[in-house]
Amino acid sequence: MSFIELTKRIDFLSANPVKDNIPEALALIKQDVDLTNYFFKKVESLDWFDPLEKNGYFLSKCNAMPVESDKGKGLFTIPFWPALTYLEKVSKEAAKPNNKKYAEALMEILSEVTMSENDPSKRVDNYRTWYIFCKIMTNLPTDVIKLEDIDLIGYWLDSKFGSGLAEREIGRNLLPKLLNSGNDGIKKAVRIVEIITQPKKQGQVLMDIHELEKLFEKNADNLGQKCAQEIVPILQSRLESELIISEKDDNYSYIWRSAVEDHEQNTSRHEPKHALISGLRDVLIAYAQTKDASVLLEKLWQSPRLMVRRIGLYVINECFHRYQNFCQKLITDNMPDIFLESNYHHELYGLITGHFLKFSKETQDAVIKVLDGLQGKWPDNVPQEEQTELNMYMRKGWFYAIKQSGYLLSKELETKYELDKYQPEHPDLLSYHGP
């Protein structure tokens, strides 16, 4: 029979998986690799699952290693496992309640193939397989996926050949599905976030930065509404890692992250730290808008990272109507230092200009008194006269913020700080790049 005639025969056999047809089809596909590939593209029925499994088509040995090309060192061909086409198709059918045994069998295949080699350095690194595995996991019922099965994702994404396809599937489909699958699914979604944000080395996490950004853009609201109490501490711990934000960099966050919100002045935005900052910000806002986030906000403020505290200030500003008392206490308890820390400037400036008018009179009076006597912590080699000028300039900036809020300052303060003549271009930023 010609190849065309054989493919026509396979068309018939694959569509009719009756007892007599199965052995014939299996015999045909053993003859030729091209026929094997053709068969798996055509076959769809779950009736083929058991015969194919018994004949070894789903074993880990079928998942081929990348092959280095003879055209040049470092060039690889990534083989495709033909049976994956079939497994992905039937995973949708296996999701039906009466097909649970097949769903469980598929999950077992994913686990066995991924973990077939105890030595991680000897595991097959085939991103094409891992991508299809992610799609199969998305299709399977949530209750078939155990919490420990989620850990397989850590292996799927740790590929030297890139894992963008798998990452895209996780962010766009798997994570949203789990978040919408009740408490059991939410626990697994939390585990995914924990895995993909794990620091690998300096300035790098497991998931590619662009896909991580997209994942948070798509899922931050849902994460905040469904599991903020678990997600916020994870993201906070990541930002507190020396591998993500070093202590040295943290001291100058007002330069590389001028604003917690998306802002044109934020430099080098496509880095894990920026994606995690934005992710934590959006997750927490989604939660804080409808539920009491005071405990989470307090933990952010106790962070050793100034950048993390800034996120807390920003969220308080965005949700001020719910955290008015919390905000006023935080400011008054931390005066005068909160006004002296350069890294807080942008977020605190926004709080003052946006909400000082809503502060209690007691808080307003206390803040004004502190600001009127505010003194910076200048180096010893700065002359006293210059220190006095710097203090006056610093105070003027904060009183200008109060004035911008609509609060009516006394004529004495207006005159003392010459606020009628003070018109700064970017008073909310200590560092500004551009014309």
Side-chain angles (χ1 to χ4, degrees):
M1 295 176 68
S2 69
F3 185 79
I4 297 298
E5 290 172 326
L6 288 172
T7 58
K8 289 181 179 179
R9 185 58 183 165
I10 285 177
D11 288 344
F12 172 78
L13 295 173
S14 62
N16 297 278
V18 295
K19 185 177 181 181
D20 293 338
N21 290 344
I22 290 174
E24 182 183 352
L26 293 174
L28 283 174
I29 64 177
K30 284 181 181 179
Q31 297 177 17
D32 187 274
V33 172
D34 290 331
L35 285 177
T36 304
N37 293 338
Y38 184 81
F39 171 79
F40 280 115
K41 288 178 182 178
K42 301 298 291 187
V43 68
E44 295 181 351
S45 173
L46 272 173
D47 291 332
W48 285 101
F49 189 91
D50 290 337
L52 290 168
E53 184 176 38
K54 288 175 183 176
N55 279 267
Y57 284 99
F58 307 149
L59 294 177
S60 59
K61 66 181 182 180
C62 300
N63 183 33
M65 280 275 197
V67 179
E68 189 163 14
S69 172
D70 55 7
K71 296 181 179 179
K73 187 174 177 59
L75 299 176
F76 287 83
T77 298
I78 312 298
F80 183 75
W81 179 6
L84 291 176
T85 304
Y86 170 72
L87 292 177
E88 183 190 349
K89 285 187 284 189
V90 297
S91 65
K92 298 174 183 177
E93 191 69 19
K96 295 179 180 178
N98 58 333
N99 290 328
K100 188 173 182 179
K101 73 169 187 174
Y102 293 108
E104 292 173 339
L106 282 165
M107 192 64 246
E108 189 173 336
I109 291 170
L110 267 57
S111 180
E112 194 276 329
V113 171
T114 305
M115 307 302 293
S116 60
E117 177 56 63
N118 290 328
D119 183 351
S121 66
K122 296 180 180 178
R123 289 198 181 113
V124 174
D125 185 4
N126 190 318
Y127 75 85
R128 302 178 76 180
T129 298
W130 307 147
Y131 168 51
I132 300 299
F133 276 13
C134 282
K135 296 183 78 172
I136 291 172
M137 183 178 277
T138 299
N139 292 335
L140 295 179
T142 304
D143 63 342
V144 168
I145 306 168
K146 303 184 190 71
L147 188 60
E148 55 265 32
D149 291 331
I150 297 297
D151 291 344
L152 299 175
I153 290 172
Y155 295 101
W156 299 344
L157 301 192
D158 192 15
S159 171
K160 67 179 180 181
F161 298 105
S163 52
L165 293 172
E167 292 170 348
R168 197 169 302 131
E169 176 65 23
I170 291 167
R172 295 181 183 181
N173 298 310
L174 179 57
L175 185 63
K177 174 192 173 177
L178 293 174
L179 285 170
N180 294 317
S181 298
N183 291 334
D184 183 49
I186 290 171
K187 290 179 183 177
K188 293 159 188 172
V190 170
R191 181 61 184 144
I192 286 180
V193 173
E194 192 172 19
I195 291 169
I196 63 175
T197 60
Q198 183 69 40
K200 286 181 66 177
K201 57 184 180 180
Q202 192 68 46
Q204 185 178 346
V205 295
L206 187 57
M207 180 171 271
D208 174 77
I209 177 59
H210 296 285
E211 292 303 328
L212 187 63
E213 290 171 344
K214 292 175 184 176
L215 181 143
F216 282 126
E217 286 171 8
K218 180 177 177 62
N219 298 286
D221 285 351
N222 214 3
L223 286 166
Q225 292 161 12
K226 301 284 179 65
C227 47
Q229 293 190 33
E230 293 77 27
I231 297 296
V232 168
I234 291 171
L235 300 184
Q236 178 177 344
S237 71
R238 300 297 185 247
L239 289 169
E240 290 170 353
S241 168
E242 189 73 12
L243 291 175
I244 303 302
I245 300 179
S246 68
E247 184 177 355
K248 180 179 179 181
D249 282 349
D250 188 51
N251 290 328
Y252 300 97
S253 70
Y254 71 94
I255 295 176
W256 53 261
R257 183 79 184 205
S258 297
V260 169
E261 71 269 24
D262 296 331
H263 197 288
E264 62 181 5
Q265 288 294 304
N266 294 339
T267 61
S268 303
R269 279 164 277 185
H270 295 299
E271 297 177 54
K273 61 187 177 185
H274 287 289
L276 292 168
I277 289 167
S278 299
L280 175 53
R281 174 197 71 198
D282 295 343
V283 168
L284 187 51
I285 285 177
Y287 181 77
Q289 286 174 337
T290 58
K291 298 174 184 175
D292 186 3
S294 299
V295 173
L296 293 174
L297 288 167
E298 182 61 38
K299 288 181 179 178
L300 259 62
W301 187 252
Q302 298 304 320
S303 172
R305 288 289 184 262
L306 298 170
M307 187 66 244
V308 172
R309 297 184 203 173
R310 289 177 59 193
I311 297 170
L313 289 173
Y314 178 79
V315 172
I316 291 170
N317 187 18
E318 291 295 297
C319 307
F320 183 80
H321 65 288
R322 294 181 60 84
Y323 302 96
Q324 183 170 340
N325 294 334
F326 184 96
C327 173
Q328 292 180 78
K329 186 176 188 305
L330 186 146
I331 290 175
T332 54
D333 285 353
N334 291 278
M335 295 190 302
D337 290 349
I338 195 169
F339 289 102
L340 295 173
E341 174 54 63
S342 300
N343 290 285
Y344 300 153
H345 182 86
H346 179 73
E347 286 68 43
L348 188 57
Y349 195 93
L351 266 172
I352 297 298
T353 57
H355 305 293
F356 189 80
L357 205 57
K358 303 166 191 170
F359 287 6
S360 68
K361 186 177 186 306
E362 180 182 3
T363 300
Q364 290 172 339
D365 290 345
V367 169
I368 287 173
K369 182 178 179 180
V370 166
L371 292 179
D372 195 29
L374 196 64
Q375 297 198 38
K377 299 175 182 179
W378 314 112
D380 293 338
N381 61 352
V382 176
Q384 189 60 47
E385 183 178 344
E386 187 175 340
Q387 288 189 31
T388 300
E389 291 180 4
L390 289 170
N391 287 332
M392 287 295 290
Y393 185 81
M394 180 173 57
R395 296 171 194 169
K396 181 185 294 189
W398 286 117
F399 279 116
Y400 181 78
I402 290 176
K403 184 177 180 179
Q404 291 296 104
S405 74
Y407 181 86
L408 188 62
L409 288 165
S410 67
K411 289 185 178 180
E412 180 185 353
L413 288 172
E414 286 268 5
T415 302
K416 181 178 180 180
Y417 295 105
E418 301 178 324
L419 295 178
D420 59 328
K421 302 177 183 177
Y422 186 63
Q423 294 183 334
E425 289 189 31
H426 306 285
D428 59 324
L429 297 171
L430 291 183
S431 173
Y432 187 85
H433 315 280

